[in-house]
Amino acid sequence: MYTHILLAFDQSGSSQKALDSAVSLLHLNNKADLTITHVSTEKHSLDTTIYDKPRDAAAIMSPGVDKQNPPYMPPLPQQDSGKSVHQLTDELDDALQSAKHHLDNKNIEAQFYPLTGSPAEAIVDYAENNEVDLIIVGRTEKSTFQKWFLGSVSEKIMQSSPCSVLVIK
């Protein structure tokens, strides 16, 4: 069974269904760890303190030598309170807070880890560097033309993932 599940969450209808699927899997294996991420391509600053544990992304996300622009977050400064400050967008903050609220209502614990950069690359890189054995994503809600022109994040993840991928419709 899976021991570390990574859920990509963006508040879309399909990612909400993906969150529900992750909850169902956790009921089957309550020893599995769940990490929820949202990838931001923007760079604003917003102090968020919804995360239960401070994180230093540099220790977890080490870029490959061959990557020019790695999708990882730089080390985060420590405040006097000892909590890390994440540089996030309002949208990112809302997405992770929404997922946290949903899980809190079900008494389910999870780690919340924001990423920046290209969504597919950031998710796959996180999975490669953190012993993730299942990635859960919602199916894209793009039109056929948008998928043809831009590609689908879920398809890109499936193509390059080091582990199993569950795509939820």
Side-chain angles (χ1 to χ4, degrees):
M1 201 55 155
Y2 301 109
T3 58
H4 188 187
I5 299 169
L6 176 63
L7 170 69
F9 188 78
D10 65 2
Q11 290 186 297
S12 66
S14 61
S15 73
Q16 189 64 46
K17 290 178 186 177
L19 179 60
D20 292 335
S21 294
V23 168
S24 296
L25 283 173
L26 289 173
H27 286 303
L28 295 174
N29 180 12
N30 60 0
K31 293 181 182 178
D33 293 323
L34 174 63
T35 301
I36 300 177
T37 190
H38 178 104
V39 183
S40 174
T41 56
E42 298 177 22
K43 296 179 181 176
H44 306 175
S45 67
L46 177 68
D47 179 9
T48 60
T49 55
I50 65 164
Y51 310 104
D52 296 326
K53 299 177 184 173
R55 289 163 183 73
D56 183 0
I60 296 173
M61 300 296 290
S62 56
V65 176
D66 61 337
K67 297 206 176 177
Q68 294 287 330
N69 298 310
Y72 72 103
M73 293 177 60
L76 303 170
Q78 293 291 322
Q79 289 183 332
D80 294 338
S81 67
K83 292 185 179 181
S84 296
V85 177
H86 291 276
Q87 302 298 315
L88 307 174
T89 65
D90 291 333
E91 175 188 347
L92 176 59
D93 185 45
D94 290 345
L96 291 180
Q97 280 192 28
S98 171
K100 184 176 182 351
H101 179 71
H102 183 81
L103 294 177
D104 285 348
N105 288 338
K106 297 179 182 283
N107 293 321
I108 295 176
E109 291 185 25
Q111 300 296 314
F112 298 88
Y113 202 94
L115 298 171
T116 60
S118 165
E121 288 179 19
I123 291 165
V124 168
D125 281 353
Y126 183 90
E128 287 173 344
N129 291 300
N130 291 281
E131 298 179 12
V132 170
D133 50 10
L134 176 66
I135 300 172
I136 302 177
V137 294
R139 190 176 122 204
T140 186
E141 295 181 359
K142 296 177 183 173
S143 69
T144 303
F145 177 75
Q146 287 173 318
K147 283 192 282 187
W148 175 80
F149 187 70
L150 300 173
S152 163
V153 171
S154 55
E155 288 175 27
K156 290 175 185 175
I157 291 171
M158 286 188 302
Q159 291 172 358
S160 56
S161 173
C163 61
S164 298
V165 178
L166 176 60
V167 180
I168 305 295
K169 284 185 169 187

